[in-house]
Amino acid sequence: MHDYDWSSIPNSLPFLWDGMKISLEITLSAVVFGIIWGTLLALMRLSPVKPLSWFAAGYVNLFRAVPLVMVLLWFFLIVPRLLESLLGLPRGTDMRLASAIAGFALFEAAYYSEIIRAGIQSVPKGQMGAASALGMTYGQAMRLVVLPQAFRNMVPLLLTQGIILFQDTSLVYVSALADFFGAAYKVGDRDGRLVELLLFAGAVYFVLCFTASRIVRHYQNRLKTA
Amino acid sequence: MISMNKVSKHYGSFQVLTDCTTQVHKGEVIVVCGPSGSGKSTLIKCVNGLEPFQSGEIIVNGVSVGDPKTNLSKLRSTVGMVFQNFELFPHMSIIDNLCIAQIKVLGRSQEQAREKGHKLLDRVGLRAQAEKYPGQLSGGQQQRVAIARALAMDPICMLFDEPTSALDPEMVNEVLDVMTELAQEGMTMMCVTHEMGFARRVASRVIFMDQGRIVEDDSKEAFFEHARSERAQQFLAKILHH
């Protein structure tokens, strides 16, 4: 039987916390940029301008049909080189965090755009008609009337997707970026206490994600009764 | 004010409107009636370009609706419209519902818009509800707000698409009263409605539609006393005899 020894955890808490900060940073930036880009994709998808609609459909289908970890690797391997040559940055600039955020944001945007598209379509058509009848342009009607209602209905789904994203940030270990999971792994590896550290990391992920989904569900119920 | 000439529309092979021709002069109140599916709602939605049509011509205040060069948003801001399901914006307070288009479309200041909004709410008897949300109001109240919202744009004419069809019977009159008052003040109106009492009281003319065609277009006296077409006679017999 394995003898558990948890003593390496207390001393490594600052290091683990640094990792958690990276995980949260990636999650928040990817959620924000993913929702912005996802909204634009959803609007393109619903646009009567065919090429825009095709582009958005192609984008969404492409990103939904490849594994996330592969997208992340593309971003770690290809994009930094590209930026180095484009922007004339010195070779070897550490862009792992930026690449990770970009990779997650572009990947998640595909999922967000589908949620947002459904949200827009859930707003009764008459709302667009009423806004148009008041003389609003298509853009004004979307921005002032349709999207605010769509987002209000979508908040629970968007948050749930954010929770999934938070779990998926652990995949940045492929770039040796010390997010929370990476940090825990490193500490465990260093002290020969991998099992303890992975159990501890798992417990932390569980508590955070479970609490967050409870809060989302609570909000969802309140939305239903409102 | 509004002139339609041989307006036709089809969805695929289904003909919705066929050669609809009529004139609405300033200050006239036109009631459009007919069995369901006869194209009345589609007809008035063509007037402000909410529904496109394939052939014919509609001129509103000198502007051609079907012309691709026409700025439809600008045209619509001058034509008020009231819908069967009210279509208030549920995420905004009542007063914001009245102000949003005044500010964003007409460029009025917040103060001007609110002042106008309160004045109109007063007029439809709902000043006290200004800060509430649409979901907190009854159907009749919501429809009166919707009328006030359209009036806030200072429209040159008003279109009503079955404004009382979705209301409980006891709320129909409060909406019709507002419409009657508006008609008596000389507003040019085109109303799709089955309220024949309203038609008798205020209509200048009645248009009867059947299967996408304008079958009757006559003064209300002529329409109610001796409708010419058999279809209109049947229709009147059905809705007046109970």
Side-chain angles (χ1 to χ4, degrees):
Chain A
M1 218 17 228
H2 197 90
D3 277 329
Y4 292 108
D5 176 5
W6 306 94
S7 62
S8 57
I9 292 174
N11 289 330
S12 341
L13 281 179
F15 182 64
L16 291 172
W17 171 238
D18 285 343
M20 181 56 78
K21 280 194 287 196
I22 290 185
S23 295
L24 291 174
E25 193 179 342
I26 295 174
T27 306
L28 289 180
S29 333
V31 166
V32 171
F33 290 118
I35 288 178
I36 294 171
W37 180 221
T39 307
L40 292 174
L41 283 170
L43 291 175
M44 284 191 240
R45 184 91 190 249
L46 296 171
S47 152
V49 185
K50 284 287 164 232
L52 285 179
S53 168
W54 289 332
F55 167 77
Y59 182 98
V60 170
N61 286 325
L62 172 70
F63 275 91
R64 297 218 303 179
V66 294
L68 173 56
V69 74
M70 216 159 86
V71 175
L72 293 177
L73 273 174
W74 292 343
F75 273 82
F76 293 132
L77 299 175
I78 305 165
V79 177
R81 295 268 168 79
L82 206 70
L83 288 178
E84 274 166 20
S85 53
L86 278 178
L87 304 173
L89 296 169
R91 266 193 88 74
T93 311
D94 188 359
M95 277 184 287
R96 283 178 306 173
L97 183 62
S99 312
I101 290 173
F104 276 111
L106 293 179
F107 185 85
E108 290 297 322
Y111 286 84
Y112 279 127
S113 85
E114 287 297 279
I115 296 176
I116 293 163
R117 183 164 71 112
I120 291 173
Q121 286 173 330
S122 75
V123 176
K125 268 197 149 168
Q127 291 281 303
M128 181 51 102
S132 306
L134 285 166
M136 291 188 197
T137 60
Y138 179 82
Q140 284 176 322
M142 263 293 165
R143 197 159 39 83
L144 303 168
V145 175
V146 177
L147 283 177
Q149 294 180 59
F151 274 106
R152 202 165 60 164
N153 298 338
M154 285 176 323
V155 166
L157 277 176
L158 293 175
L159 290 176
T160 304
Q161 188 66 24
I163 295 169
I164 297 171
L165 173 57
F166 174 67
Q167 293 164 17
D168 287 348
T169 54
S170 58
L171 288 174
V172 296
Y173 81 92
V174 294
S175 70
L177 191 64
D179 74 318
F180 178 66
F181 177 76
Y185 193 93
K186 274 183 188 160
V187 172
D189 203 30
R190 183 195 65 196
D191 299 345
R193 288 293 165 200
L194 205 48
V195 174
E196 287 85 342
L197 263 296
L198 290 187
L199 284 172
F200 172 70
V204 172
Y205 275 112
F206 175 79
V207 170
L208 288 178
C209 294
F210 186 72
T211 314
S213 27
R214 278 288 144 149
I215 295 171
V216 172
R217 187 184 296 179
H218 176 75
Y219 178 83
Q220 204 167 10
N221 289 338
R222 244 191 34 196
L223 203 70
K224 258 184 220 146
T225 53
Chain B
M1 173 83 55
I2 302 171
S3 114
M4 296 189 191
N5 192 14
K6 289 189 173 294
V7 175
S8 296
K9 175 184 173 70
H10 53 83
Y11 295 111
S13 64
F14 180 65
Q15 195 76 22
V16 197
L17 296 176
T18 310
D19 290 340
C20 294
T21 301
T22 191
Q23 242 58 240
V24 182
H25 303 285
K26 195 171 187 328
E28 273 190 317
V29 176
I30 309 297
V31 164
V32 184
C33 61
S36 63
S38 59
K40 4 180 241 305
S41 287
T42 310
L43 184 74
I44 71 161
K45 281 182 176 159
C46 284
V47 172
N48 66 353
L50 276 188
E51 290 274 3
F53 48 93
Q54 282 87 13
S55 66
E57 188 184 47
I58 300 181
I59 309 281
V60 177
N61 206 25
V63 182
S64 170
V65 179
D67 186 341
K69 289 192 291 272
T70 296
N71 182 342
L72 269 183
S73 299
K74 194 165 175 210
L75 172 77
R76 287 177 187 140
S77 70
T78 64
V79 178
M81 184 151 200
V82 175
F83 299 85
Q84 182 174 1
N85 295 311
F86 331 133
E87 303 299 350
L88 295 179
F89 306 136
H91 59 302
M92 295 179 196
S93 66
I94 297 303
I95 186 69
D96 286 345
N97 263 279
L98 267 75
C99 289
I100 181 93
Q102 292 190 65
I103 295 168
K104 299 288 180 181
V105 176
L106 300 181
R108 289 183 184 152
S109 73
Q110 182 87 29
E111 297 78 54
Q112 281 175 314
R114 286 183 75 90
E115 195 192 323
K116 177 112 194 163
H118 279 123
K119 215 180 273 175
L120 284 164
L121 282 179
D122 223 2
R123 178 165 165 189
V124 297
L126 293 170
R127 195 185 185 111
Q129 320 289 335
E131 302 303 326
K132 289 194 180 160
Y133 282 80
Q136 297 171 280
L137 269 54
S138 73
Q141 289 175 322
Q142 289 191 50
Q143 195 60 299
R144 280 143 68 198
V145 171
I147 295 173
R149 178 174 72 175
L151 291 175
M153 304 296 282
D154 292 322
I156 54 170
C157 61
M158 288 281 286
L159 307 173
F160 291 86
D161 183 11
E162 304 208 25
T164 57
S165 304
L167 295 175
D168 289 336
E170 75 266 30
M171 292 171 184
V172 168
N173 280 332
E174 60 188 80
V175 171
L176 290 179
D177 287 346
V178 172
M179 289 169 64
T180 304
E181 209 176 290
L182 207 56
Q184 283 161 353
E185 285 165 21
M187 176 62 82
T188 310
M189 292 162 59
M190 221 173 152
C191 315
V192 173
T193 183
H194 294 134
E195 299 295 337
M196 289 301 127
F198 172 76
R200 279 184 198 277
R201 270 202 312 282
V202 299
S204 333
R205 282 194 351 253
V206 178
I207 288 176
F208 177 78
M209 291 185 72
D210 188 35
Q211 295 179 350
R213 291 173 190 274
I214 293 183
V215 181
E216 307 251 351
D217 182 351
D218 225 331
S219 72
K220 68 175 166 193
E221 291 81 10
F223 179 73
F224 286 115
E225 300 314 317
H226 33 83
R228 277 169 301 198
S229 68
E230 201 178 319
R231 195 67 192 80
Q233 286 166 4
Q234 285 170 358
F235 176 79
L236 280 174
K238 267 187 199 139
I239 63 170
L240 294 179
H241 282 181
H242 65 136

